[in-house]
Amino acid sequence: MPRLKPAVLLAAILTSLALAVPAQADIDAGVVDDTPVVTPDGGVAFFALMSDVGLKEVRITVQWDPAHPTTIDNEAYLAAMVPVATLRGVRVVFSVQQVKARSVTGTPNGTQQFAAFVAQLANTFPTVHDFIVGNEPNLSRFWQPQFNGNRSAAPAAYQALLARSYDALKAVNPTNNVIGLGLSPRGNDAPHAPGNVSHSPVKFLSALGAAYRASGRRKPLMDMFAFHPYPKTDRDPLAKGYPWPNAGIPNLGRIKQAFFDGFHGTSQKTFEQGLKMKLDEVGWQVGVVPASQGAYFGQESIQPTDEQSQASIYAGLLRQVACDPAVDAVLFFGFQDEPNLDRWQSGLMRADGTKRASYDSVKATLAQTGGRCAGRMQNWRHSMELEGVNAKFLKLGRLPSHAKSWSLVARAEEDALFDAGIHRFNGRMGARVLTKTGLLEGHMGRLVRLPSRRLRPGRYVFSIRFRAEANPARTMRLTGRPFTVYRAR
């Protein structure tokens, strides 16, 4: 048998790979892993393993460095990898990130230079059409400054970057898919915190929407939304989410509501209008099993879960989000573990290349479901009410007219403006005679003291109206039982 030339051999391999392209599913599963970028075979072995599991997307990091604003790191390796992935049926998603947290904001014309780089990347790799602009801009680790003094800064600056990048990518090819944000699931909204100064995802979206409206832009910001719904701790079950204003897998409706609050009525589509969500980073970190201990080094910095729990969670996660019509794809962070225990170990494979139970559970789930919903689709609609509102009114019957201390306890599970008062009551609520306004912080009950004042004899009722701070059009009113004030003798 004659020997084939290397180029002919590679063509034959790629042709055989192309024959194995699987059918499109309702959602795709994939990984975030830069390993195939630097492998000498262009990722052939890596993508073969991905295909074995049924994974169809790989997110690759491309960094922009203002010191070398037109340099695409590993360009030759990317050029070798992209066709291999494509012919294996694996979609390549470029996550374009600044190399330092102040690379954009600390560079003259940084926004324009970043957008020009994204366009250059799209021109260089015309078969790649999916671009995530930035990474976790709500965290100071990836974007600074988060605040200027007490004023939010990151959302408006990122809005300008995303708008400029959107236009640049569409100018290269109108079919390019511009993916925004890649939000972290958590943030503290504390501009003067001793560390981890950040925005929660809900409040970042609120401020992003406000910046978009203020900009006067008449074009969208993004075609797709990216979110990183990691668990609060790695030992959390799949069903455990976060309290407002943070969000995990069980709280995706909260993210959709925040997006609606920020962008409804603008040129930017919301989830009800067809916007899709890419869960482009998710993972539960796992402890090292004794047989693979030698492949790792360093000290663990978190409390990981065990391999069987991870396998069960990953299978359940795929089944759950397949029934969410807004979710486009789920990407597990890391196909194979990093060996440094102070970094990330949530892959389907251990650092030594052996397969975890999650490798088989994900493979079996995708084979059984094809990425399709096995139950009822969970369609979401925005709410015009507030999350977790309640009030405790005094249980009043008959009071003498000289009583002059009036109060109630109010609570909401999100930040809300309130307007409380006592109204005259004659079969229905009438004119208000006492009033108090203010702000409720999410999860914080507040004693609302109305002005001290004697009331004339008659029938009255307590009432409080809540308005969501993120969207004052979302309102709720709660009313107490009528009570009587009589004239004291």
Side-chain angles (χ1 to χ4, degrees):
M1 179 177 180
R3 296 180 63 186
L4 295 176
K5 295 181 179 180
V8 177
L9 178 59
L10 177 60
I13 293 172
L14 296 181
T15 301
S16 67
L17 297 180
L19 299 177
V21 176
Q24 181 70 23
D26 288 359
I27 67 162
D28 285 340
V31 291
V32 178
D33 202 314
D34 294 333
T35 299
V37 175
V38 294
T39 55
D41 65 352
V44 169
F46 183 92
F47 293 124
L49 284 169
M50 281 190 64
S51 295
D52 179 59
V53 180
L55 303 173
K56 301 173 185 176
E57 284 196 22
V58 62
R59 199 197 83 182
I60 300 296
T61 304
V62 181
Q63 292 190 321
W64 174 71
D65 186 348
H68 308 283
T70 62
T71 298
I72 301 173
D73 280 346
N74 296 315
E75 182 176 346
Y77 284 103
L78 289 171
M81 179 208 71
V82 168
V84 178
T86 302
L87 290 171
R88 257 293 181 185
V90 175
R91 179 186 295 119
V92 175
V93 180
F94 282 153
S95 177
V96 192
Q97 307 175 14
Q98 53 182 350
V99 70
K100 294 181 179 179
R102 291 182 182 266
S103 292
V104 170
T105 58
T107 301
N109 298 320
T111 296
Q112 294 90 325
Q113 290 189 55
F114 183 98
F117 176 77
V118 174
Q120 176 189 345
L121 187 66
N123 274 312
T124 304
F125 298 99
T127 61
V128 176
H129 297 288
D130 297 274
F131 299 85
I132 302 174
V133 178
N135 180 65
E136 298 190 350
N138 57 323
L139 299 187
S140 56
R141 178 179 177 183
F142 298 104
W143 190 284
Q144 294 180 19
Q146 287 287 309
F147 297 87
N148 287 326
N150 290 321
R151 296 184 61 184
S152 174
Y158 177 75
Q159 188 277 151
L161 179 77
L162 184 55
R164 179 80 67 150
S165 300
Y166 180 97
D167 294 343
L169 285 166
K170 293 297 184 180
V172 173
N173 186 337
T175 67
N176 281 337
N177 183 32
V178 183
I179 307 168
L181 293 151
L183 276 185
S184 167
R186 61 181 76 90
N188 54 32
D189 301 307
H192 302 294
N196 189 34
V197 174
S198 53
H199 285 75
S200 63
V202 166
K203 293 197 174 184
F204 192 95
L205 287 172
S206 177
L208 184 73
Y212 174 73
R213 292 174 188 274
S215 74
R217 183 175 173 84
R218 294 293 180 264
K219 292 188 288 185
L221 278 179
M222 68 194 89
D223 301 313
M224 190 176 287
F225 169 83
F227 185 51
H228 301 168
Y230 290 106
K232 190 174 182 180
T233 75
D234 292 281
R235 294 188 178 183
D236 287 349
L238 179 60
K240 184 176 181 180
Y242 291 79
W244 185 95
N246 294 321
I249 287 291
N251 316 118
L252 295 183
R254 183 180 297 155
I255 294 296
K256 296 172 190 175
Q257 181 70 48
F259 202 97
F260 171 84
D261 289 341
F263 291 97
H264 72 280
T266 72
S267 298
Q268 173 59 56
K269 287 195 303 186
T270 65
F271 290 99
E272 287 168 303
Q273 296 169 321
L275 184 69
K276 291 287 188 176
M277 180 184 298
K278 190 180 290 291
L279 307 179
D280 70 304
E281 284 188 27
V282 66
W284 270 251
Q285 293 197 74
V286 180
V288 179
V289 296
S292 298
Q293 189 72 51
Y296 297 87
F297 65 91
Q299 296 294 319
E300 190 66 82
S301 57
I302 52 93
Q303 291 186 322
T305 190
D306 61 87
E307 294 198 349
Q308 289 300 324
S309 294
Q310 184 207 44
S312 176
I313 288 169
Y314 283 9
L317 169 61
L318 290 171
R319 292 181 181 277
Q320 180 173 323
V321 299
C323 295
D324 185 336
V327 175
D328 168 79
V330 177
L331 307 185
F332 297 107
F333 192 85
F335 191 27
Q336 186 168 332
D337 282 356
E338 297 178 73
N340 185 349
L341 291 173
D342 194 40
R343 292 185 63 81
W344 209 261
Q345 292 81 43
S346 64
L348 308 185
M349 300 175 68
R350 307 180 188 96
D352 59 6
T354 56
K355 299 172 182 178
R356 282 206 175 101
S358 57
Y359 183 103
D360 292 325
S361 73
V362 169
K363 179 178 178 178
T365 301
L366 293 173
Q368 292 166 8
T369 67
R372 296 177 177 83
C373 178
R376 295 186 63 180
M377 295 298 288
Q378 302 299 313
N379 293 304
W380 176 86
R381 294 286 298 170
H382 74 269
S383 173
M384 294 307 294
E385 297 185 345
L386 285 81
E387 188 168 342
V389 163
N390 65 70
K392 292 184 179 180
F393 301 101
L394 297 176
K395 293 183 179 180
L396 303 176
R398 286 171 56 84
L399 292 176
S401 59
H402 63 265
K404 57 180 182 179
S405 179
W406 312 99
S407 64
L408 59 95
V409 177
R411 181 183 176 91
E413 294 303 308
E414 61 176 294
D415 288 357
L417 305 169
F418 71 84
D419 180 359
I422 292 180
H423 297 251
R424 293 188 181 277
F425 184 79
N426 185 18
R428 62 180 182 176
M429 195 163 61
R432 184 165 51 194
V433 294
L434 294 179
T435 186
K436 177 76 172 183
T437 61
L439 173 68
L440 290 173
E441 294 185 23
H443 316 297
M444 301 290 290
R446 174 173 172 174
L447 178 65
V448 179
R449 294 185 182 277
L450 277 66
S452 296
R453 176 182 162 190
R454 294 188 180 187
L455 299 178
R456 294 179 180 179
R459 294 277 283 169
Y460 296 90
V461 67
F462 272 109
S463 175
I464 181 169
R465 184 178 66 146
F466 301 88
R467 289 180 295 136
E469 187 181 40
N471 179 6
R474 289 198 287 120
T475 65
M476 290 184 68
R477 183 184 292 276
L478 300 178
T479 304
R481 292 183 177 181
F483 61 94
T484 301
V485 171
Y486 64 92
R487 188 183 306 278
R489 295 180 179 178

